[in-house]
């Protein structure tokens, strides 16, 4: 069984909009991640992604589905997360902060110099090589010997 969630990696030139988690967050406080969150009851995943983008950064964008990641969350029993990964272009507007944290544009080549959630560089490397219209990827994320593994399925 999966809990549906969205992750949005909005692009502007060679930069991505990332959220630096608020210091009060239970998970990933002070770390950079994509924007996103839960899919609410009665909501499709694209609408959820657009809502999360507006709530967390005050921005709108034409999003496209890059892929899905089934996330094994370990000790949570039989429940995992199905992450719907979106991207899109944002040519105008600046992000506004939210209770989740402050969204900021980060150059792709600077990602590895920041405190980031563990799978962020892996997902951004995959997304950075994609363009709108490419088939979406599928991946499985899990820990083995305390090391994060993200396995991408074969292309469709």
């Amino acid at each position: 069984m999966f809990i549906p969630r969205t992750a949005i990696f909005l692009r502007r030139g060679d930069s991505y909009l990332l959220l630096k988690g608020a210091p009060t967050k239970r998970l990933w406080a002070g770390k950079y991640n994509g924007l996103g969150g839960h899919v609410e009851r009665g909501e499709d995943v694209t609408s959820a992604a657009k809502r999360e983008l507006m709530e967390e950064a005050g921005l709108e964008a034409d999003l496209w589905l890059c892929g899905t990641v089934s996330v094994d969350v370990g000790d949570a029993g039989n429940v995992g997360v199905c992450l719907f990964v979106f991207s899109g272009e944002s040519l105008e507007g600046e992000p506004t902060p939210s209770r989740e944290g402050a969204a900021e544009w980060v150059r792709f080549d600077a990602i590895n110099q920041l405190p980031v959630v563990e799978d962020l560089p892996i997902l951004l490397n995959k997304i950075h090589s994609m363009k709108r219209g490419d088939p979406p990827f599928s991946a499985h994320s899990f820990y083995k010997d305390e090391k994060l593994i993200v396995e991408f399925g074969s292309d469709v």
Side-chain angles (χ1 to χ4, degrees):
M1 187 164 39
F2 287 115
I3 297 171
R5 292 185 55 92
T6 62
I8 304 115
F9 298 99
L10 204 56
R11 191 172 182 168
R12 182 178 284 171
D14 206 28
S15 295
Y16 288 89
L17 187 65
L18 300 179
L19 186 74
K20 183 176 183 183
T24 56
K25 285 189 72 157
R26 184 177 60 85
L27 295 173
W28 307 304
K31 291 193 175 185
Y32 287 83
N33 198 359
L35 288 79
H38 288 90
V39 177
E40 302 294 338
R41 183 180 180 105
E43 188 175 49
D44 65 81
V45 294
T46 305
S47 296
K50 289 180 178 186
R51 176 185 50 74
E52 289 287 348
L53 181 61
M54 178 56 73
E55 288 176 3
E56 294 184 358
L59 294 175
E60 294 181 352
D62 182 19
L63 302 176
W64 55 281
L65 181 66
C66 296
T68 58
V69 182
S70 61
V71 180
D72 182 347
V73 293
D75 297 332
N78 292 330
V79 179
V81 171
C82 183
L83 188 63
F84 293 87
V85 182
F86 288 87
S87 189
E89 293 284 329
S90 177
L91 303 176
E92 56 188 47
E94 289 305 317
T96 56
S98 73
R99 64 180 176 83
E100 297 292 326
E104 58 187 78
W105 294 103
V106 178
R107 288 191 46 81
F108 179 71
D109 59 9
I111 301 295
N112 292 326
Q113 297 151 356
L114 297 173
V116 297
V117 297
E118 205 170 359
D119 62 351
L120 179 75
I122 298 166
L123 292 176
L124 271 183
N125 278 328
K126 183 71 169 175
I127 294 164
H128 193 67
S129 67
M130 296 178 74
K131 61 184 182 306
R132 184 183 287 272
D134 285 351
F137 64 80
S138 66
H140 177 218
S141 171
F142 59 97
Y143 282 90
K144 182 175 181 182
D145 300 325
E146 298 183 26
K147 181 178 179 350
L148 177 68
I149 308 291
V150 179
E151 294 178 337
F152 290 91
S154 58
D155 292 334
V156 176

